[in-house]
């Protein structure tokens, strides 16, 4: 037995007795206070009243209590007492002297018992403080005896072990994870050919794509214990606690090896140490926790059968020492699923749902580009709730479509009734978006146009982008700007002035134009360069940038953004002017039906007049300048 383990029983006994002494000392201190409190019978009188007494006032007995600083006396059979000022002054002596001069006999009670226990009222609180510090010290001596320093890892999996069959839509990530499963099942097979299995896996990707699910599936396939913690569980305000929890966690996992240790939100404890504020308590604690994690990863023996899996949405902020080979050997991106992946996810989550025969998961997968596994699970759950609300026994296709719309925009605002004039204005606005999407090539398919308010919007136009498109050209992005400005162009074309319906359109158009100028180098005057640095990670969908350029360049950027948005508005105005009669027809139909779908708009497609290619803004630019397309998602305005 090691020396450290031999000390554990002694430490536990010391903790028990010290913890027992603290309440005992507090009870003893309360008893001391009770016995030292002054307790005089009768009524209290003021010092002025007492000073008027003399030997002829009927005072028979007067007693001076030295510790209580009180004079008690009997006057005509009644008891009185008067309190004297503190004995730090000579005032009590002078009062006694004048009392004796007035002929009143005073006896002195020295209260020897209170004199003996009075010092204890100062000693006992000091002992309580010392015992408290001793208890904290003993708890800090060993993490095994301190719940505060223990790593509260969640052990085990669900009642039904998960397998790779439960992980849909992430085929490439599953393929990479199979090697870990094979290593845990048969490590000798790897050792026989001199191969070393990955020591750690880092799963990165957008929220809700199934990183935790994949880690649990690896454990379920291998049949080994599964330990999971969040990176935030390690970091505390007290320096040293996080490092102690890391040590305790790895001790627990090694005792149960072979096993899988899963740390979610790894960036909470593994953020890079570069640029940290030296001397700050929070930074010191985070650095100590990360340093201890690095030490434990280096201490992994190849034959321990322990595999570390980390998950994060921000791989860009992780410390380089954490990502080097020998620690996290393999990095797996778990991205948003494609159509086939979404179909597989829907089929997995649909196993536990009661579905009508008319349900078409293939159609639903087509209508939900950009949805993650968590989003699709939420769609099915929302559809089930709608089914119960409507009193049906099985989920139908209309429930699934309604659930998608609720996920994207919120529930229908049927209580918000529009006046006829407002209804017509919203119809023209949404019809402008729809006609631009139908007229411009590459804008995707118009799935639905509605003037039924949802959330904060009065209407919406949903388009489905081209599935599987990875590269988007500059001309296509300019067409997207025109589509976003279609509602504003319809407002000004019909009403002769702008309305408040375009608030969200203007924000999205401005964000797209800023990305074209600052990130993609698609501007005439600023050249082919990136301007500014991203603030957040790619997987979080935050396009904010930290400006690293001068004020003059910022002014030029603003000018280019304004130019792109204005050109998009001009293009939208030209398209709608050529199709003014169709705009009126679509708006009139939308007012009557409130919602138009793809089949309702099909008759208008062949009648749309499109501007000539040479008149289109931006057609003179080279179409070969492209950019990686963002994750496709239904366009809603």
């Amino acid at each position: 037995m090691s020396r450290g383990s031999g000390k554990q029983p002694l430490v536990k006994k010391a903790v028990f007795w010290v913890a027992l002494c603290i309440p005992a000392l507090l009870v003893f201190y309360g008893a001391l206070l009770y016995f030292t409190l002054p307790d005089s019978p009768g009524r209290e009188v003021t010092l002025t009243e007492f000073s008027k007494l003399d030997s002829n006032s009927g005072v028979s007995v007067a007693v001076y209590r030295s510790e209580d600083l009180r004079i008690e006396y009997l006057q005509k059979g009644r008891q009185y007492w008067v309190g004297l000022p503190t004995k730090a002054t000579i005032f009590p002596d002078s009062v006694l002297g004048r009392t004796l001069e007035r002929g009143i006999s005073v006896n002195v009670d020295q209260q020897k018992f209170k004199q003996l226990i009075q010092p204890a009222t100062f000693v006992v609180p000091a002992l309580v403080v010392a015992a408290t510090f001793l208890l904290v010290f003993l708890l800090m001596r060993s993490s095994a005896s301190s719940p505060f320093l223990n790593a509260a890892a969640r052990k085990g999996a669900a009642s039904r072990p998960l397998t790779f069959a439960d992980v849909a839509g992430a085929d490439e990530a599953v393929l990479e994870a199979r090697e870990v499963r094979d290593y845990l099942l048969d490590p000798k097979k790897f050792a026989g050919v001199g191969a070393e299995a990955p020591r750690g896996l880092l799963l990165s990707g957008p929220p809700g794509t199934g990183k935790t699910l994949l880690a649990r599936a690896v454990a379920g396939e291998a049949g080994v214990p599964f330990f999971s913690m969040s990176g935030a569980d390690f970091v505390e305000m007290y320096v040293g606690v996080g490092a102690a929890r890391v040590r305790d966690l790895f001790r627990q996992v090694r005792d149960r090896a072979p096993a899988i240790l899963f740390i979610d939100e790894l960036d909470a404890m593994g953020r890079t140490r570069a640029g940290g504020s030296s001397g700050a308590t929070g930074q010191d604690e985070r650095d100590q926790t990360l340093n201890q994690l690095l030490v434990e990863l280096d201490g992994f023996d190849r034959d321990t059968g322990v595999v570390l899996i980390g998950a994060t949405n921000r791989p860009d902020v992780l410390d380089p020492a954490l990502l080097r080979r020998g620690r996290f050997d393999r990095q797996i991106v778990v991205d948003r699923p494609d159509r086939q992946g979404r179909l597989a996810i829907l089929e997995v989550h649909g196993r536990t749902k009661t579905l009508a025969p008319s349900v078409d998961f293939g159609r639903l997968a087509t209508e939900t580009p950009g949805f993650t596994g968590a989003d699709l699970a939420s769609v099915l759950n929302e559809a089930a709730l709608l089914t119960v609300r409507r009193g049906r026994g099985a989920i139908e296709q209309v429930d699934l479509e309604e659930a998608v719309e609720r996920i994207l925009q919120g529930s229908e605002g049927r209580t918000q009734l529009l006046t006829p004039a407002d209804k017509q204005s919203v119809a023209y606005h949404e019809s402008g978006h729809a006609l631009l999407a139908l007229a411009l090539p590459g804008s995707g398919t118009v799935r639905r146009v509605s003037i039924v308010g949802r959330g904060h919007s009065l209407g919406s136009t949903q388009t489905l982008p081209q599935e599987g498109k990875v590269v988007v050209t500059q001309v296509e992005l300019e067409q997207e700007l025109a589509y976003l400005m279609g509602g504003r162009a319809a407002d000004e074309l019909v009403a002769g002035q702008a309305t408040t319906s375009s608030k969200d359109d203007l924000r999205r158009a401005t964000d797209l134009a800023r990305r074209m100028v600052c990130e993609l180098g698609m501007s005439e005057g600023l050249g082919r360069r990136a301007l500014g640095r991203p603030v957040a990670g790619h997987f979080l969908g935050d396009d904010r940038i930290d400006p690293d350029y001068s004020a003059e360049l910022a002014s030029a950027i603003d000018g280019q953004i304004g130019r792109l948005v204005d050109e998009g508005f001009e293009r939208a105005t030209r398209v709608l002017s050529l199709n003014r009669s169709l705009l009126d027809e679509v708006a009139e139909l939308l007012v009557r039906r409130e919602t138009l779908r793809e089949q309702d708009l099909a008759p208008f497609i062949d009648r749309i007049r499109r501007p000539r290619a040479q008149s289109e803004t931006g057609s003179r630019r080279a179409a070969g300048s492209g950019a990686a397309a963002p994750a496709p998602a239904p366009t809603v305005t």
Side-chain angles (χ1 to χ4, degrees):
M1 180 181 294
S2 64
R3 295 178 58 188
S5 60
K7 291 182 179 179
Q8 292 299 322
L10 296 177
V11 173
K12 291 182 178 180
K13 288 182 180 179
V15 168
F16 172 77
W17 287 111
V18 173
L20 186 64
C21 286
I22 292 177
L25 288 172
L26 292 175
V27 172
F28 181 59
Y29 180 65
L32 288 177
L33 292 180
Y34 176 78
F35 286 113
T36 56
L37 288 176
D39 185 18
S40 300
R43 183 174 67 88
E44 180 184 8
V45 298
T46 63
L47 192 59
T48 303
E49 294 179 73
F50 180 74
S51 63
K52 296 179 180 179
L53 299 177
D54 54 19
S55 58
N56 299 322
S57 301
V59 177
S60 57
V61 178
V63 179
Y64 172 62
R65 309 287 186 187
S66 61
E67 293 300 317
D68 295 343
L69 289 178
R70 291 183 178 182
I71 296 178
E72 301 173 1
Y73 62 90
L74 287 174
Q75 184 181 21
K76 299 179 181 180
R78 295 184 178 180
Q79 292 181 322
Y80 300 92
W81 63 273
V82 58
L84 302 179
T86 175
K87 52 186 175 182
T89 67
I90 61 173
F91 195 79
D93 297 335
S94 63
V95 171
L96 289 174
R98 288 196 297 270
T99 301
L100 294 173
E101 291 175 357
R102 293 195 299 271
I104 300 176
S105 176
V106 180
N107 297 327
V108 177
D109 182 3
Q110 296 183 359
Q111 298 183 293
K112 294 183 179 180
F113 177 72
K114 288 189 177 181
Q115 289 180 6
L116 291 175
I117 66 175
Q118 190 71 28
T121 58
F122 300 99
V123 175
V124 174
L127 291 177
V128 172
V129 174
T132 303
F133 277 103
L134 178 60
L135 179 62
V136 173
F137 172 76
L138 292 173
L139 291 176
M140 295 289 288
R141 287 285 295 173
S142 172
S143 61
S145 61
S146 172
F148 181 63
L149 299 179
N150 283 352
R154 292 171 286 276
K155 305 177 182 67
S159 56
R160 182 183 69 87
L162 300 177
T163 64
F164 288 145
D166 299 305
V167 183
D171 296 339
E172 295 180 2
V174 170
L175 184 62
E176 294 285 345
R178 288 185 187 275
E179 286 189 3
V180 177
R181 187 270 314 267
D182 296 339
Y183 164 69
L184 292 172
L185 288 176
D186 189 9
K188 294 182 180 179
K189 180 175 66 174
F190 288 79
V193 295
E196 294 184 349
R199 182 175 296 193
L201 271 71
L202 178 63
L203 306 178
S204 59
T209 51
K211 297 183 289 294
T212 303
L213 182 67
L214 179 60
R216 299 187 79 94
V218 174
E221 287 274 345
V224 298
F226 180 80
F227 294 78
S228 64
M229 283 193 71
S230 171
D233 293 337
F234 294 96
V235 182
E236 292 281 352
M237 64 178 293
Y238 303 106
V239 176
V241 173
R245 288 180 176 175
V246 171
R247 287 191 296 269
D248 182 71
L249 175 63
F250 279 83
R251 179 188 59 79
Q252 295 180 43
V253 178
R254 289 192 184 97
D255 291 343
R256 297 285 300 277
I260 288 180
L261 170 58
F262 176 66
I263 301 180
D264 200 5
E265 306 299 340
L266 184 63
D267 52 281
M269 63 181 299
R271 190 176 292 267
T272 178
R273 292 163 290 182
S277 55
S278 178
T281 302
Q283 186 70 24
D284 289 344
E285 166 64 1
R286 190 185 304 275
D287 288 351
Q288 288 191 24
T289 304
L290 175 58
N291 291 336
Q292 186 62 45
L293 177 62
L294 298 177
V295 170
E296 295 293 343
L297 289 177
D298 280 335
F300 268 2
D301 295 329
R302 288 295 179 181
D303 57 353
T304 58
V306 176
V307 175
L308 175 64
I309 301 179
T312 180
N313 308 127
R314 298 291 309 276
D316 55 303
V317 302
L318 294 180
D319 195 276
L322 195 61
L323 301 178
R324 74 160 175 83
R325 295 298 174 182
R327 286 174 177 151
F328 281 102
D329 300 278
R330 185 164 299 176
Q331 299 184 29
I332 302 175
V333 176
V334 187
D335 212 340
R336 291 182 175 88
D338 56 11
R339 182 188 178 281
Q340 292 301 321
R342 294 194 298 274
L343 177 59
I345 292 173
L346 289 171
E347 291 174 349
V348 168
H349 289 291
R351 298 172 187 169
T352 58
K353 302 292 189 297
T354 304
L355 305 174
S358 60
V359 168
D360 185 0
F361 278 155
R363 177 181 172 185
L364 185 62
T366 303
E367 295 177 348
T368 53
F371 276 44
T372 64
D375 295 331
L376 295 173
S378 181
V379 167
L380 286 174
N381 184 66
E382 192 68 34
L385 295 176
L386 289 172
T387 301
V388 174
R389 185 182 306 172
R390 292 166 179 172
R392 292 198 296 266
I395 300 174
E396 298 182 1
Q397 188 72 23
V398 64
D399 300 319
L400 294 171
E401 294 178 357
E402 174 71 14
V404 171
E405 294 169 3
R406 291 171 70 92
I407 295 294
L408 287 174
Q409 295 179 270
S411 59
E412 290 186 359
R414 290 290 183 179
T415 58
Q416 187 176 7
L417 299 179
L418 298 177
T419 64
D422 288 342
K423 193 173 184 180
Q424 186 178 32
S425 176
V426 175
Y428 271 105
H429 182 93
E430 300 303 333
S431 299
H433 284 301
L435 286 180
L436 261 296
L438 296 175
L440 298 177
S443 297
T445 304
V446 180
R447 173 178 173 268
R448 177 178 175 275
V449 184
S450 175
I451 58 173
V452 177
R454 289 180 177 272
H456 297 288
S457 65
L458 299 177
S460 62
T461 301
Q462 298 180 12
T463 63
L464 297 180
Q466 298 179 11
E467 182 71 22
K469 191 172 183 60
V470 179
V471 177
V472 181
T473 65
Q474 180 174 351
V475 172
E476 289 172 336
L477 290 177
E478 290 172 347
Q479 290 174 353
E480 176 70 14
L481 280 175
Y483 163 75
L484 291 173
M485 299 303 294
R488 181 63 172 264
D491 294 339
E492 297 193 14
L493 187 64
V494 174
Q497 58 183 344
T499 68
T500 58
S501 304
S502 305
K503 179 177 65 174
D504 185 63
D505 299 333
L506 294 174
R507 179 186 59 79
R508 294 176 58 196
T510 304
D511 290 343
L512 177 57
R514 178 177 290 109
R515 185 174 177 225
M516 292 173 63
V517 173
C518 296
E519 296 182 31
L520 305 176
M522 296 180 179
S523 60
E524 293 182 348
L526 300 180
R528 301 173 180 86
R529 55 174 171 166
L531 303 171
R533 296 184 180 137
V535 173
H538 167 70
F539 295 123
L540 297 182
D542 191 344
D543 295 332
R544 291 177 301 161
I545 60 174
D546 181 19
D548 57 355
Y549 39 77
S550 64
E552 292 78 7
L553 188 54
S555 178
I557 291 173
D558 290 339
Q560 292 295 320
I561 292 173
R563 179 186 62 81
L564 288 173
V565 174
D566 289 342
E567 288 179 356
F569 175 78
E570 293 171 2
R571 175 181 294 184
T573 302
R574 286 197 301 272
V575 172
L576 295 180
S577 297
L578 287 174
N579 299 276
R580 176 56 194 272
S581 60
L582 286 183
L583 179 65
D584 294 335
E585 291 181 34
V586 174
E588 182 181 354
L589 184 62
L590 191 55
V591 169
R592 291 202 313 267
R593 297 189 182 180
E594 292 190 342
T595 298
L596 300 178
R597 299 191 178 274
E598 182 179 352
Q599 59 272 21
D600 300 320
L601 295 172
F604 298 98
I605 296 179
D606 295 334
R607 298 170 53 191
I608 292 178
R609 299 173 59 189
R610 296 173 175 83
R612 290 180 301 176
Q614 60 267 26
S615 65
E616 291 290 333
T617 304
S619 62
R620 63 184 181 276
R621 302 186 182 97
S625 176
T635 302
V636 182
T637 60

